[in-house]
Amino acid sequence: MNKILIIEDEEKIARFVELELRHEGYDTAKAGDGRTGLDMAETGEYDLVVLDIMLPQLSGIEVLRRLRKSANAAAANVPVILLTARDAVTDKVTGLDMGANDYMTKPFAIEELLARIRAALRQVQAQNSVHVPADDGILRAGEIELNLPAHTVTYRGKAVDFTNREFILLRTLMENKNTAMTREKLLAAAWGYDYYGETNIVDVYVRYIRQKTGDGVIKTIRGVGYMVEE
Ligand code: CA
């Protein structure tokens, strides 16, 4: 049974989400502030965390930042779905950049949260079952090398810091060389979910990747999306 931690200080929302999750057969736990939530999440006992951003003691962003640095690998890699205030675009981008898997804008429909939870859990399963190519497990394009087993990136022989999301995005493009990939496809691959038109997130991440590895490797295919050429 999947165990989900809800970190949310608004008791009404937390209780409602908890009841719905239990109804769906999940095991749940709750924390009402950031510090308690972080302590609980760091145990690595949970399969997914629903994390509100506006929290007392430690903000959700800070909880996420610390969680991703956790020495406990299960905790550091746990899927996180953020709950954000309406129009808090900075929070969304910061949150995704820090390794949140997804976000929901309040107020949200519970069915949508449930769908995203299922998608995030599925994505973890898919990632765990991804096989590494039979050769050395290194994808190459231009002057970029992606080392899949080590999860590292080099550009012109130098190590480059990539966030998990950037890595998955570039990897998807490199695994599909010479194929124009739509933003929707890239979203589905890197975020495991269709964002209903919020495909500009892909553009933001492509920009990040280009800043780190030059403009040459990822080509913009007008009206479609992006492509890495052989
Ligand atoms: Ca709150």
Side-chain angles (χ1 to χ4, degrees), residues 8-10 52-56 106:
E8 164 66 88
D9 60 317
E10 283 168 77
D52 186 32
I53 286 193
M54 296 284 281
L55 287 171
K106 288 182 180 178

Side-chain angles (χ1 to χ4, degrees), residues 96-98 151 161-168 205 212:
L96 290 173
D97 208 20
M98 283 194 177
H151 214 269
D161 246 352
F162 258 54
T163 65
N164 190 39
R165 201 70 57 184
E166 290 162 358
F167 189 91
I168 297 171
Y205 276 76
K212 294 177 183 183

Side-chain angles (χ1 to χ4, degrees), residues 39 92 136 144 180:
D39 285 346
K92 288 176 201 169
D136 53 1
I144 302 178

Side-chain angles (χ1 to χ4, degrees), residues 4 6 12 22 28-29 34 40 64 81 103 108 114 122 135-136 162 172 185 198 222 227:
I4 299 180
I6 304 154
K12 259 174 80 175
R22 289 200 170 162
T28 58
M40 290 171 76
L64 179 62
I81 297 180
Y103 62 82
F108 53 84
L114 293 172
R122 262 202 315 273
D135 50 30
D136 53 1
F162 258 54
T172 306
K185 263 196 187 149
E198 294 198 45
R222 276 189 69 175
M227 178 166 86

